[in-house]
Amino acid sequence: CKQSDNFPEHLIGYPYILSVSSNIGGYRVSIGSVLNIVCACFADILIFLLCMVIARDVIVAVSAAVIFAITPVFAVWGLETSAEPISNGCMSLVLWLCLRYAFALPERTNRWNALLTWCAFTAMLLFSLTVKRENILLVVFLPVIVFIVLIIRKREPGRSLRRFWWVVLSTALGLILSQQLRILQTMSSETALLNKFPRSEE
């Protein structure tokens, strides 16, 4: 399990997390599954926090967290360990930090606090792109989500508009990183790999 190889359909983020965890706590066969379970629990907490930012209703937030927790979307303790739970946690954290930065922080927030929130949001957004290439959807849709909420709320337009452009800057950095990771080339390599296996007609 410690041997290295190149796989065209995988990115470096998830193996990096496994490697760091293995160096800290020692290697064991179940380390991937344990990390995925921990991240799934963390994502459930983030779902609660996201609903609190959006709806500001404890009942709604608890209901969403419970539904997320009891829905068996992905088995993290099965025949293999995949990056989906880690990716889910990253995406939930990015969305929470984005909404918190753009709308939840009050107008008179310390500038350093707002800057740190933006840095955390941008760093997590960039890291999430190294976990799964599908996370590029965050880069595409986050500015749209923030812009829609900006139109709906129509409160403190000057501050919200400034923070909207900071979100756009973060997503632009995400697009640059995606270009450097050659995500489109990775997709074409995986397509070529899948074409080697004939499809079943059953």
Side-chain angles (χ1 to χ4, degrees), residues 28-201:
R28 57 180 61 88
V29 176
S30 61
I31 189 169
S33 297
V34 171
L35 279 174
N36 281 347
I37 290 175
V38 171
C39 193
C41 295
F42 179 63
D44 195 46
I45 296 172
L46 289 171
I47 293 295
F48 173 83
L49 295 175
L50 272 170
C51 291
M52 287 299 296
V53 171
I54 296 171
R56 298 178 182 177
D57 190 326
V58 176
I59 296 177
V60 172
V62 170
S63 300
V66 170
I67 291 171
F68 181 83
I70 65 178
T71 304
V73 177
F74 198 86
V76 298
W77 200 285
L79 298 177
E80 65 175 353
T81 298
S82 299
E84 275 76 7
I86 301 292
S87 175
N88 192 7
C90 289
M91 292 177 72
S92 300
L93 183 57
V94 167
L95 183 57
W96 178 66
L97 288 170
C98 176
L99 294 180
R100 180 168 174 77
Y101 171 73
F103 301 107
L105 292 181
E107 186 177 7
R108 296 181 180 178
T109 301
N110 189 322
R111 289 187 178 181
W112 284 109
N113 188 4
L115 178 62
L116 288 175
T117 304
W118 178 82
C119 290
F121 155 64
T122 305
M124 280 307 305
L125 176 65
L126 297 179
F127 179 75
S128 69
L129 295 174
T130 69
V131 176
K132 283 187 73 67
R133 65 175 181 271
E134 290 85 351
N135 291 352
I136 196 174
L137 293 174
L138 284 171
V139 175
V140 176
F141 287 110
L142 275 180
V144 177
I145 293 172
V146 172
F147 184 71
I148 291 174
V149 177
L150 179 65
I151 293 176
I152 293 174
R153 288 196 172 184
K154 295 180 180 179
R155 292 186 304 179
E156 302 169 359
R159 184 208 68 168
S160 299
L161 188 60
R162 285 194 301 271
R163 293 189 178 178
F164 166 74
W165 287 115
W166 280 101
V167 172
V168 171
L169 174 60
S170 300
T171 56
L173 294 175
L175 288 174
I176 294 172
L177 178 61
S178 300
Q179 178 66 27
Q180 293 299 315
L181 290 173
R182 299 180 180 180
I183 289 180
L184 293 178
Q185 181 178 347
T186 303
M187 293 175 64
S188 61
S189 300
E190 183 176 358
T191 302
L193 181 64
L194 292 175
N195 288 334
K196 294 180 180 179
F197 301 94
R199 295 180 179 179
S200 174
E201 296 180 357

Side-chain angles (χ1 to χ4, degrees), residues 2 13-28 31-32 34-36 38 86:
K2 289 238 176 181
Y14 182 56
Y16 174 75
I17 293 175
L18 293 177
S19 176
V20 171
S21 301
S22 177
N23 290 335
I24 293 175
Y27 174 77
R28 57 180 61 88
I31 189 169
V34 171
L35 279 174
N36 281 347
V38 171
I86 301 292

